[in-house]
Amino acid sequence: MNYTLHQLIIFSEIANSKSITRTAEKLHLTQPAVSIQLKNFQDQFSIPLTEVVGRQLYVTDFGNEIAAAAKKILDEVEAINYKTNAFKGKLSGRIKISIASTGKYVMPYFLTEFMNIHSGVDLVMDVTNKTKVIRSLEKNEVDFALISVLPKKLKVNSVELMRNELFLVGGKQITPEQLAEGEHLLTKLPLLYREEGSATRNAMETFIQKNGFQIRKKIQLTSNEAVKQAVIAGLGISIMPLIGIKNELKAKDLQIIPIESLPISSMWQVTWLSSKKLNPVATAFLDHLKIEKNKIAKKYFAWTEAYR
């Protein structure tokens, strides 16, 4: 056997994604380079690691065994790197965070300084909808979750970062006369929703039900960015988080439709299981947040005050 760490990394990702294309994208390689390394790795075994049925790549039972062994080896290599940094007196390890999709406009600003100070720390950040964020938190798959509404069924601790406010938003096609109609536009124009499981969608539906609005037409899209582009194109209007539309408001591609009962307001919170024993990296990150969060929020998000 003469396989390399590079081949183990590539095969481990292939086993995870079941795709040469996605592996190439994630590892920033070309597809031919991934295919060559897979072939070179396979040549060292007399039993197939993968098979292609139709156009779909599958990992064999033997391949899954090798992938599990490869993961253990890669974890040990990673541990060696962390221990080396720790011996040098550097904070070292990995921090895993799952964030609700609109949290991508927030979390990076609260991470940057910490990551720059601690070069020995690696970051894994998963961006998904609220339902999946809560699931990863519940299964203890992450150190922290960034959410705006705390789960009722889990015992968690949290640190508040900043306000999350949702406004009714339309494209530049909305006339001054329509703007003056305010909430009545909700019953006249198509309303764009996020997918099931989205915290933004849950907030929208609660707001609409509470106020008794009769929606004329609903359109569902699966990301905040897709909703934003659809509103810009004039497909409809939507209730959206202010933090995600700064540039579009500035460019006048979007405009806020004034409604007395809006914005819907909550707090972005970094959350973790109460029973979780935080590692040194996670503890250091929490300490950093508690000290720096107000300064960071003021530096990067003071512009939101103009819309309140």
Side-chain angles (χ1 to χ4, degrees), residues 127-162:
V127 182
T128 183
N129 66 36
K130 181 194 172 186
T131 298
K132 293 179 180 178
V133 171
I134 299 301
R135 188 180 303 137
S136 65
L137 187 66
E138 184 177 16
K139 292 183 177 180
N140 198 30
E141 296 172 343
V142 294
D143 298 304
F144 300 110
L146 179 70
I147 49 182
S148 58
V149 180
L150 294 179
K152 296 180 180 179
K153 296 182 180 180
L154 293 179
K155 292 183 178 180
V156 297
N157 297 326
S158 64
V159 172
E160 293 185 346
L161 297 186
M162 57 174 285

PDB file of all heavy atoms in Angstrom, residues 127-162:
ATOM      1  N   VAL A 127     -24.755  26.304   6.681  1.00  0.00           N
ATOM      2  CA  VAL A 127     -25.838  27.271   6.488  1.00  0.00           C
ATOM      3  C   VAL A 127     -27.052  26.527   5.952  1.00  0.00           C
ATOM      4  O   VAL A 127     -27.006  25.942   4.869  1.00  0.00           O
ATOM      5  CB  VAL A 127     -25.421  28.382   5.505  1.00  0.00           C
ATOM      6  CG1 VAL A 127     -26.547  29.401   5.355  1.00  0.00           C
ATOM      7  CG2 VAL A 127     -24.144  29.064   5.972  1.00  0.00           C
ATOM      8  N   THR A 128     -28.145  26.531   6.709  1.00  0.00           N
ATOM      9  CA  THR A 128     -29.327  25.772   6.315  1.00  0.00           C
ATOM     10  C   THR A 128     -30.569  26.443   6.902  1.00  0.00           C
ATOM     11  O   THR A 128     -30.492  27.592   7.355  1.00  0.00           O
ATOM     12  CB  THR A 128     -29.189  24.303   6.789  1.00  0.00           C
ATOM     13  OG1 THR A 128     -30.315  23.557   6.350  1.00  0.00           O
ATOM     14  CG2 THR A 128     -29.071  24.214   8.308  1.00  0.00           C
ATOM     15  N   ASN A 129     -31.720  25.756   6.899  1.00  0.00           N
ATOM     16  CA  ASN A 129     -32.902  26.383   7.489  1.00  0.00           C
ATOM     17  C   ASN A 129     -33.015  26.041   8.974  1.00  0.00           C
ATOM     18  O   ASN A 129     -32.289  25.189   9.491  1.00  0.00           O
ATOM     19  CB  ASN A 129     -34.181  26.016   6.724  1.00  0.00           C
ATOM     20  CG  ASN A 129     -34.546  24.547   6.817  1.00  0.00           C
ATOM     21  OD1 ASN A 129     -34.359  23.903   7.847  1.00  0.00           O
ATOM     22  ND2 ASN A 129     -35.074  24.003   5.725  1.00  0.00           N
ATOM     23  N   LYS A 130     -33.928  26.699   9.645  1.00  0.00           N
ATOM     24  CA  LYS A 130     -34.006  26.586  11.105  1.00  0.00           C
ATOM     25  C   LYS A 130     -34.246  25.159  11.573  1.00  0.00           C
ATOM     26  O   LYS A 130     -33.652  24.707  12.566  1.00  0.00           O
ATOM     27  CB  LYS A 130     -35.108  27.495  11.644  1.00  0.00           C
ATOM     28  CG  LYS A 130     -35.219  27.437  13.167  1.00  0.00           C
ATOM     29  CD  LYS A 130     -36.503  28.051  13.680  1.00  0.00           C
ATOM     30  CE  LYS A 130     -36.673  27.814  15.161  1.00  0.00           C
ATOM     31  NZ  LYS A 130     -37.969  28.281  15.671  1.00  0.00           N
ATOM     32  N   THR A 131     -35.103  24.424  10.881  1.00  0.00           N
ATOM     33  CA  THR A 131     -35.412  23.059  11.297  1.00  0.00           C
ATOM     34  C   THR A 131     -34.152  22.199  11.352  1.00  0.00           C
ATOM     35  O   THR A 131     -33.922  21.454  12.308  1.00  0.00           O
ATOM     36  CB  THR A 131     -36.441  22.426  10.330  1.00  0.00           C
ATOM     37  OG1 THR A 131     -37.652  23.183  10.372  1.00  0.00           O
ATOM     38  CG2 THR A 131     -36.736  20.992  10.720  1.00  0.00           C
ATOM     39  N   LYS A 132     -33.312  22.303  10.327  1.00  0.00           N
ATOM     40  CA  LYS A 132     -32.082  21.514  10.275  1.00  0.00           C
ATOM     41  C   LYS A 132     -31.052  22.016  11.288  1.00  0.00           C
ATOM     42  O   LYS A 132     -30.270  21.241  11.823  1.00  0.00           O
ATOM     43  CB  LYS A 132     -31.516  21.524   8.861  1.00  0.00           C
ATOM     44  CG  LYS A 132     -32.400  20.802   7.857  1.00  0.00           C
ATOM     45  CD  LYS A 132     -31.823  20.839   6.451  1.00  0.00           C
ATOM     46  CE  LYS A 132     -32.740  20.112   5.469  1.00  0.00           C
ATOM     47  NZ  LYS A 132     -32.223  20.172   4.090  1.00  0.00           N
ATOM     48  N   VAL A 133     -31.049  23.322  11.537  1.00  0.00           N
ATOM     49  CA  VAL A 133     -30.156  23.870  12.562  1.00  0.00           C
ATOM     50  C   VAL A 133     -30.489  23.280  13.923  1.00  0.00           C
ATOM     51  O   VAL A 133     -29.605  22.824  14.656  1.00  0.00           O
ATOM     52  CB  VAL A 133     -30.262  25.415  12.612  1.00  0.00           C
ATOM     53  CG1 VAL A 133     -29.506  25.954  13.816  1.00  0.00           C
ATOM     54  CG2 VAL A 133     -29.699  26.027  11.339  1.00  0.00           C
ATOM     55  N   ILE A 134     -31.777  23.262  14.266  1.00  0.00           N
ATOM     56  CA  ILE A 134     -32.211  22.711  15.557  1.00  0.00           C
ATOM     57  C   ILE A 134     -31.896  21.227  15.642  1.00  0.00           C
ATOM     58  O   ILE A 134     -31.480  20.720  16.692  1.00  0.00           O
ATOM     59  CB  ILE A 134     -33.722  22.948  15.778  1.00  0.00           C
ATOM     60  CG1 ILE A 134     -34.036  24.453  15.800  1.00  0.00           C
ATOM     61  CG2 ILE A 134     -34.180  22.293  17.068  1.00  0.00           C
ATOM     62  CD1 ILE A 134     -33.313  25.222  16.868  1.00  0.00           C
ATOM     63  N   ARG A 135     -32.060  20.523  14.530  1.00  0.00           N
ATOM     64  CA  ARG A 135     -31.771  19.089  14.519  1.00  0.00           C
ATOM     65  C   ARG A 135     -30.289  18.830  14.794  1.00  0.00           C
ATOM     66  O   ARG A 135     -29.938  17.940  15.570  1.00  0.00           O
ATOM     67  CB  ARG A 135     -32.170  18.489  13.172  1.00  0.00           C
ATOM     68  CG  ARG A 135     -32.088  16.948  13.127  1.00  0.00           C
ATOM     69  CD  ARG A 135     -32.507  16.432  11.773  1.00  0.00           C
ATOM     70  NE  ARG A 135     -33.850  16.882  11.437  1.00  0.00           N
ATOM     71  CZ  ARG A 135     -34.205  17.337  10.237  1.00  0.00           C
ATOM     72  NH1 ARG A 135     -33.304  17.425   9.275  1.00  0.00           N
ATOM     73  NH2 ARG A 135     -35.427  17.721  10.019  1.00  0.00           N
ATOM     74  N   SER A 136     -29.411  19.609  14.173  1.00  0.00           N
ATOM     75  CA  SER A 136     -27.974  19.417  14.386  1.00  0.00           C
ATOM     76  C   SER A 136     -27.588  19.768  15.817  1.00  0.00           C
ATOM     77  O   SER A 136     -26.693  19.151  16.398  1.00  0.00           O
ATOM     78  CB  SER A 136     -27.165  20.259  13.392  1.00  0.00           C
ATOM     79  OG  SER A 136     -27.358  21.644  13.614  1.00  0.00           O
ATOM     80  N   LEU A 137     -28.274  20.744  16.391  1.00  0.00           N
ATOM     81  CA  LEU A 137     -28.039  21.099  17.793  1.00  0.00           C
ATOM     82  C   LEU A 137     -28.504  19.974  18.712  1.00  0.00           C
ATOM     83  O   LEU A 137     -27.788  19.563  19.638  1.00  0.00           O
ATOM     84  CB  LEU A 137     -28.780  22.403  18.116  1.00  0.00           C
ATOM     85  CG  LEU A 137     -28.533  23.036  19.483  1.00  0.00           C
ATOM     86  CD1 LEU A 137     -27.106  23.515  19.613  1.00  0.00           C
ATOM     87  CD2 LEU A 137     -29.503  24.195  19.718  1.00  0.00           C
ATOM     88  N   GLU A 138     -29.696  19.456  18.443  1.00  0.00           N
ATOM     89  CA  GLU A 138     -30.274  18.394  19.265  1.00  0.00           C
ATOM     90  C   GLU A 138     -29.414  17.129  19.242  1.00  0.00           C
ATOM     91  O   GLU A 138     -29.264  16.449  20.262  1.00  0.00           O
ATOM     92  CB  GLU A 138     -31.687  18.078  18.765  1.00  0.00           C
ATOM     93  CG  GLU A 138     -32.435  17.068  19.596  1.00  0.00           C
ATOM     94  CD  GLU A 138     -33.852  16.854  19.084  1.00  0.00           C
ATOM     95  OE1 GLU A 138     -34.139  17.258  17.936  1.00  0.00           O
ATOM     96  OE2 GLU A 138     -34.658  16.289  19.832  1.00  0.00           O
ATOM     97  N   LYS A 139     -28.828  16.827  18.077  1.00  0.00           N
ATOM     98  CA  LYS A 139     -27.996  15.624  17.933  1.00  0.00           C
ATOM     99  C   LYS A 139     -26.557  15.852  18.387  1.00  0.00           C
ATOM    100  O   LYS A 139     -25.721  14.960  18.254  1.00  0.00           O
ATOM    101  CB  LYS A 139     -28.013  15.166  16.472  1.00  0.00           C
ATOM    102  CG  LYS A 139     -29.360  14.632  16.005  1.00  0.00           C
ATOM    103  CD  LYS A 139     -29.280  14.142  14.574  1.00  0.00           C
ATOM    104  CE  LYS A 139     -30.594  13.533  14.117  1.00  0.00           C
ATOM    105  NZ  LYS A 139     -30.522  13.037  12.713  1.00  0.00           N
ATOM    106  N   ASN A 140     -26.280  17.045  18.896  1.00  0.00           N
ATOM    107  CA  ASN A 140     -24.939  17.377  19.379  1.00  0.00           C
ATOM    108  C   ASN A 140     -23.886  17.260  18.273  1.00  0.00           C
ATOM    109  O   ASN A 140     -22.750  16.849  18.510  1.00  0.00           O
ATOM    110  CB  ASN A 140     -24.554  16.491  20.570  1.00  0.00           C
ATOM    111  CG  ASN A 140     -23.397  17.054  21.370  1.00  0.00           C
ATOM    112  OD1 ASN A 140     -23.199  18.269  21.439  1.00  0.00           O
ATOM    113  ND2 ASN A 140     -22.602  16.184  21.957  1.00  0.00           N
ATOM    114  N   GLU A 141     -24.283  17.643  17.055  1.00  0.00           N
ATOM    115  CA  GLU A 141     -23.371  17.581  15.914  1.00  0.00           C
ATOM    116  C   GLU A 141     -22.553  18.851  15.778  1.00  0.00           C
ATOM    117  O   GLU A 141     -21.591  18.880  15.002  1.00  0.00           O
ATOM    118  CB  GLU A 141     -24.165  17.338  14.624  1.00  0.00           C
ATOM    119  CG  GLU A 141     -24.878  15.997  14.591  1.00  0.00           C
ATOM    120  CD  GLU A 141     -25.801  15.842  13.401  1.00  0.00           C
ATOM    121  OE1 GLU A 141     -26.157  16.861  12.772  1.00  0.00           O
ATOM    122  OE2 GLU A 141     -26.171  14.687  13.099  1.00  0.00           O
ATOM    123  N   VAL A 142     -22.933  19.898  16.509  1.00  0.00           N
ATOM    124  CA  VAL A 142     -22.248  21.188  16.414  1.00  0.00           C
ATOM    125  C   VAL A 142     -21.979  21.738  17.804  1.00  0.00           C
ATOM    126  O   VAL A 142     -22.582  21.304  18.795  1.00  0.00           O
ATOM    127  CB  VAL A 142     -23.088  22.201  15.606  1.00  0.00           C
ATOM    128  CG1 VAL A 142     -23.223  21.770  14.153  1.00  0.00           C
ATOM    129  CG2 VAL A 142     -24.466  22.409  16.235  1.00  0.00           C
ATOM    130  N   ASP A 143     -21.056  22.695  17.874  1.00  0.00           N
ATOM    131  CA  ASP A 143     -20.806  23.377  19.140  1.00  0.00           C
ATOM    132  C   ASP A 143     -21.881  24.429  19.414  1.00  0.00           C
ATOM    133  O   ASP A 143     -22.369  24.550  20.534  1.00  0.00           O
ATOM    134  CB  ASP A 143     -19.424  24.039  19.109  1.00  0.00           C
ATOM    135  CG  ASP A 143     -18.306  23.035  18.931  1.00  0.00           C
ATOM    136  OD1 ASP A 143     -18.227  22.105  19.747  1.00  0.00           O
ATOM    137  OD2 ASP A 143     -17.528  23.168  17.967  1.00  0.00           O
ATOM    138  N   PHE A 144     -22.214  25.178  18.361  1.00  0.00           N
ATOM    139  CA  PHE A 144     -23.162  26.294  18.511  1.00  0.00           C
ATOM    140  C   PHE A 144     -24.139  26.325  17.343  1.00  0.00           C
ATOM    141  O   PHE A 144     -23.856  25.819  16.252  1.00  0.00           O
ATOM    142  CB  PHE A 144     -22.419  27.634  18.546  1.00  0.00           C
ATOM    143  CG  PHE A 144     -21.436  27.767  19.660  1.00  0.00           C
ATOM    144  CD1 PHE A 144     -20.073  27.771  19.395  1.00  0.00           C
ATOM    145  CD2 PHE A 144     -21.850  27.875  20.977  1.00  0.00           C
ATOM    146  CE1 PHE A 144     -19.143  27.897  20.418  1.00  0.00           C
ATOM    147  CE2 PHE A 144     -20.942  27.986  22.007  1.00  0.00           C
ATOM    148  CZ  PHE A 144     -19.590  27.997  21.733  1.00  0.00           C
ATOM    149  N   ALA A 145     -25.272  26.960  17.584  1.00  0.00           N
ATOM    150  CA  ALA A 145     -26.235  27.261  16.528  1.00  0.00           C
ATOM    151  C   ALA A 145     -26.561  28.753  16.595  1.00  0.00           C
ATOM    152  O   ALA A 145     -26.630  29.324  17.686  1.00  0.00           O
ATOM    153  CB  ALA A 145     -27.498  26.441  16.689  1.00  0.00           C
ATOM    154  N   LEU A 146     -26.745  29.375  15.444  1.00  0.00           N
ATOM    155  CA  LEU A 146     -27.204  30.762  15.399  1.00  0.00           C
ATOM    156  C   LEU A 146     -28.645  30.762  14.936  1.00  0.00           C
ATOM    157  O   LEU A 146     -28.948  30.382  13.803  1.00  0.00           O
ATOM    158  CB  LEU A 146     -26.344  31.594  14.442  1.00  0.00           C
ATOM    159  CG  LEU A 146     -26.783  33.063  14.329  1.00  0.00           C
ATOM    160  CD1 LEU A 146     -26.472  33.817  15.617  1.00  0.00           C
ATOM    161  CD2 LEU A 146     -26.128  33.756  13.142  1.00  0.00           C
ATOM    162  N   ILE A 147     -29.545  31.170  15.814  1.00  0.00           N
ATOM    163  CA  ILE A 147     -30.971  31.197  15.516  1.00  0.00           C
ATOM    164  C   ILE A 147     -31.586  32.454  16.111  1.00  0.00           C
ATOM    165  O   ILE A 147     -30.988  33.111  16.972  1.00  0.00           O
ATOM    166  CB  ILE A 147     -31.695  29.948  16.076  1.00  0.00           C
ATOM    167  CG1 ILE A 147     -31.304  29.719  17.545  1.00  0.00           C
ATOM    168  CG2 ILE A 147     -31.400  28.724  15.243  1.00  0.00           C
ATOM    169  CD1 ILE A 147     -31.932  28.493  18.164  1.00  0.00           C
ATOM    170  N   SER A 148     -32.787  32.786  15.663  1.00  0.00           N
ATOM    171  CA  SER A 148     -33.459  33.982  16.176  1.00  0.00           C
ATOM    172  C   SER A 148     -34.628  33.644  17.100  1.00  0.00           C
ATOM    173  O   SER A 148     -35.151  34.525  17.769  1.00  0.00           O
ATOM    174  CB  SER A 148     -33.956  34.856  15.014  1.00  0.00           C
ATOM    175  OG  SER A 148     -34.826  34.124  14.177  1.00  0.00           O
ATOM    176  N   VAL A 149     -35.026  32.364  17.122  1.00  0.00           N
ATOM    177  CA  VAL A 149     -36.083  31.917  18.036  1.00  0.00           C
ATOM    178  C   VAL A 149     -35.581  30.664  18.733  1.00  0.00           C
ATOM    179  O   VAL A 149     -35.261  29.667  18.081  1.00  0.00           O
ATOM    180  CB  VAL A 149     -37.399  31.613  17.287  1.00  0.00           C
ATOM    181  CG1 VAL A 149     -38.463  31.145  18.279  1.00  0.00           C
ATOM    182  CG2 VAL A 149     -37.879  32.847  16.531  1.00  0.00           C
ATOM    183  N   LEU A 150     -35.513  30.685  20.052  1.00  0.00           N
ATOM    184  CA  LEU A 150     -34.980  29.553  20.798  1.00  0.00           C
ATOM    185  C   LEU A 150     -35.929  28.358  20.739  1.00  0.00           C
ATOM    186  O   LEU A 150     -37.151  28.526  20.782  1.00  0.00           O
ATOM    187  CB  LEU A 150     -34.748  29.931  22.262  1.00  0.00           C
ATOM    188  CG  LEU A 150     -33.671  30.978  22.528  1.00  0.00           C
ATOM    189  CD1 LEU A 150     -33.586  31.267  24.024  1.00  0.00           C
ATOM    190  CD2 LEU A 150     -32.316  30.518  22.009  1.00  0.00           C
ATOM    191  N   PRO A 151     -35.401  27.137  20.634  1.00  0.00           N
ATOM    192  CA  PRO A 151     -36.254  25.938  20.605  1.00  0.00           C
ATOM    193  C   PRO A 151     -36.909  25.707  21.968  1.00  0.00           C
ATOM    194  O   PRO A 151     -36.266  25.856  23.008  1.00  0.00           O
ATOM    195  CB  PRO A 151     -35.260  24.809  20.277  1.00  0.00           C
ATOM    196  CG  PRO A 151     -33.934  25.320  20.745  1.00  0.00           C
ATOM    197  CD  PRO A 151     -33.966  26.803  20.530  1.00  0.00           C
ATOM    198  N   LYS A 152     -38.181  25.329  21.957  1.00  0.00           N
ATOM    199  CA  LYS A 152     -38.912  25.145  23.214  1.00  0.00           C
ATOM    200  C   LYS A 152     -38.615  23.799  23.875  1.00  0.00           C
ATOM    201  O   LYS A 152     -38.721  23.663  25.086  1.00  0.00           O
ATOM    202  CB  LYS A 152     -40.411  25.276  22.956  1.00  0.00           C
ATOM    203  CG  LYS A 152     -40.835  26.670  22.489  1.00  0.00           C
ATOM    204  CD  LYS A 152     -42.336  26.727  22.247  1.00  0.00           C
ATOM    205  CE  LYS A 152     -42.752  28.128  21.790  1.00  0.00           C
ATOM    206  NZ  LYS A 152     -44.216  28.196  21.521  1.00  0.00           N
ATOM    207  N   LYS A 153     -38.242  22.802  23.069  1.00  0.00           N
ATOM    208  CA  LYS A 153     -38.102  21.446  23.605  1.00  0.00           C
ATOM    209  C   LYS A 153     -36.677  21.117  24.047  1.00  0.00           C
ATOM    210  O   LYS A 153     -36.438  20.009  24.531  1.00  0.00           O
ATOM    211  CB  LYS A 153     -38.563  20.432  22.558  1.00  0.00           C
ATOM    212  CG  LYS A 153     -40.050  20.542  22.215  1.00  0.00           C
ATOM    213  CD  LYS A 153     -40.463  19.486  21.210  1.00  0.00           C
ATOM    214  CE  LYS A 153     -41.939  19.597  20.871  1.00  0.00           C
ATOM    215  NZ  LYS A 153     -42.371  18.560  19.886  1.00  0.00           N
ATOM    216  N   LEU A 154     -35.747  22.024  23.861  1.00  0.00           N
ATOM    217  CA  LEU A 154     -34.363  21.761  24.240  1.00  0.00           C
ATOM    218  C   LEU A 154     -33.936  22.700  25.363  1.00  0.00           C
ATOM    219  O   LEU A 154     -34.339  23.867  25.390  1.00  0.00           O
ATOM    220  CB  LEU A 154     -33.430  21.961  23.041  1.00  0.00           C
ATOM    221  CG  LEU A 154     -33.555  20.989  21.866  1.00  0.00           C
ATOM    222  CD1 LEU A 154     -32.558  21.362  20.777  1.00  0.00           C
ATOM    223  CD2 LEU A 154     -33.347  19.561  22.307  1.00  0.00           C
ATOM    224  N   LYS A 155     -33.111  22.186  26.262  1.00  0.00           N
ATOM    225  CA  LYS A 155     -32.522  23.027  27.297  1.00  0.00           C
ATOM    226  C   LYS A 155     -31.223  23.610  26.738  1.00  0.00           C
ATOM    227  O   LYS A 155     -30.274  22.868  26.477  1.00  0.00           O
ATOM    228  CB  LYS A 155     -32.253  22.213  28.560  1.00  0.00           C
ATOM    229  CG  LYS A 155     -33.516  21.755  29.268  1.00  0.00           C
ATOM    230  CD  LYS A 155     -33.192  21.012  30.548  1.00  0.00           C
ATOM    231  CE  LYS A 155     -34.468  20.594  31.276  1.00  0.00           C
ATOM    232  NZ  LYS A 155     -34.162  19.865  32.532  1.00  0.00           N
ATOM    233  N   VAL A 156     -31.236  24.923  26.542  1.00  0.00           N
ATOM    234  CA  VAL A 156     -30.090  25.567  25.903  1.00  0.00           C
ATOM    235  C   VAL A 156     -29.661  26.807  26.682  1.00  0.00           C
ATOM    236  O   VAL A 156     -30.434  27.379  27.454  1.00  0.00           O
ATOM    237  CB  VAL A 156     -30.409  25.976  24.447  1.00  0.00           C
ATOM    238  CG1 VAL A 156     -30.719  24.753  23.591  1.00  0.00           C
ATOM    239  CG2 VAL A 156     -31.570  26.973  24.394  1.00  0.00           C
ATOM    240  N   ASN A 157     -28.420  27.189  26.451  1.00  0.00           N
ATOM    241  CA  ASN A 157     -27.912  28.488  26.888  1.00  0.00           C
ATOM    242  C   ASN A 157     -27.709  29.339  25.640  1.00  0.00           C
ATOM    243  O   ASN A 157     -27.562  28.806  24.530  1.00  0.00           O
ATOM    244  CB  ASN A 157     -26.583  28.326  27.626  1.00  0.00           C
ATOM    245  CG  ASN A 157     -26.726  27.518  28.894  1.00  0.00           C
ATOM    246  OD1 ASN A 157     -27.745  27.586  29.567  1.00  0.00           O
ATOM    247  ND2 ASN A 157     -25.708  26.733  29.226  1.00  0.00           N
ATOM    248  N   SER A 158     -27.687  30.646  25.809  1.00  0.00           N
ATOM    249  CA  SER A 158     -27.530  31.495  24.635  1.00  0.00           C
ATOM    250  C   SER A 158     -26.906  32.834  24.986  1.00  0.00           C
ATOM    251  O   SER A 158     -26.963  33.278  26.139  1.00  0.00           O
ATOM    252  CB  SER A 158     -28.881  31.729  23.949  1.00  0.00           C
ATOM    253  OG  SER A 158     -29.753  32.442  24.802  1.00  0.00           O
ATOM    254  N   VAL A 159     -26.309  33.446  23.963  1.00  0.00           N
ATOM    255  CA  VAL A 159     -25.781  34.808  24.061  1.00  0.00           C
ATOM    256  C   VAL A 159     -26.429  35.624  22.946  1.00  0.00           C
ATOM    257  O   VAL A 159     -26.341  35.267  21.768  1.00  0.00           O
ATOM    258  CB  VAL A 159     -24.246  34.838  23.891  1.00  0.00           C
ATOM    259  CG1 VAL A 159     -23.743  36.271  23.810  1.00  0.00           C
ATOM    260  CG2 VAL A 159     -23.569  34.099  25.039  1.00  0.00           C
ATOM    261  N   GLU A 160     -27.117  36.691  23.307  1.00  0.00           N
ATOM    262  CA  GLU A 160     -27.757  37.546  22.302  1.00  0.00           C
ATOM    263  C   GLU A 160     -26.718  38.391  21.585  1.00  0.00           C
ATOM    264  O   GLU A 160     -25.825  38.968  22.212  1.00  0.00           O
ATOM    265  CB  GLU A 160     -28.793  38.447  22.969  1.00  0.00           C
ATOM    266  CG  GLU A 160     -29.990  37.689  23.530  1.00  0.00           C
ATOM    267  CD  GLU A 160     -31.056  38.614  24.081  1.00  0.00           C
ATOM    268  OE1 GLU A 160     -30.767  39.829  24.270  1.00  0.00           O
ATOM    269  OE2 GLU A 160     -32.177  38.151  24.334  1.00  0.00           O
ATOM    270  N   LEU A 161     -26.853  38.467  20.263  1.00  0.00           N
ATOM    271  CA  LEU A 161     -25.907  39.252  19.464  1.00  0.00           C
ATOM    272  C   LEU A 161     -26.506  40.586  19.012  1.00  0.00           C
ATOM    273  O   LEU A 161     -25.950  41.641  19.268  1.00  0.00           O
ATOM    274  CB  LEU A 161     -25.468  38.454  18.224  1.00  0.00           C
ATOM    275  CG  LEU A 161     -24.709  37.150  18.461  1.00  0.00           C
ATOM    276  CD1 LEU A 161     -24.243  36.577  17.135  1.00  0.00           C
ATOM    277  CD2 LEU A 161     -23.529  37.364  19.396  1.00  0.00           C
ATOM    278  N   MET A 162     -27.644  40.535  18.317  1.00  0.00           N
ATOM    279  CA  MET A 162     -28.232  41.753  17.762  1.00  0.00           C
ATOM    280  C   MET A 162     -29.651  41.458  17.303  1.00  0.00           C
ATOM    281  O   MET A 162     -30.073  40.304  17.236  1.00  0.00           O
ATOM    282  CB  MET A 162     -27.402  42.253  16.585  1.00  0.00           C
ATOM    283  CG  MET A 162     -27.240  41.225  15.471  1.00  0.00           C
ATOM    284  SD  MET A 162     -26.417  41.878  14.020  1.00  0.00           S
ATOM    285  CE  MET A 162     -27.755  42.873  13.329  1.00  0.00           C
TER     286      MET A 162
END
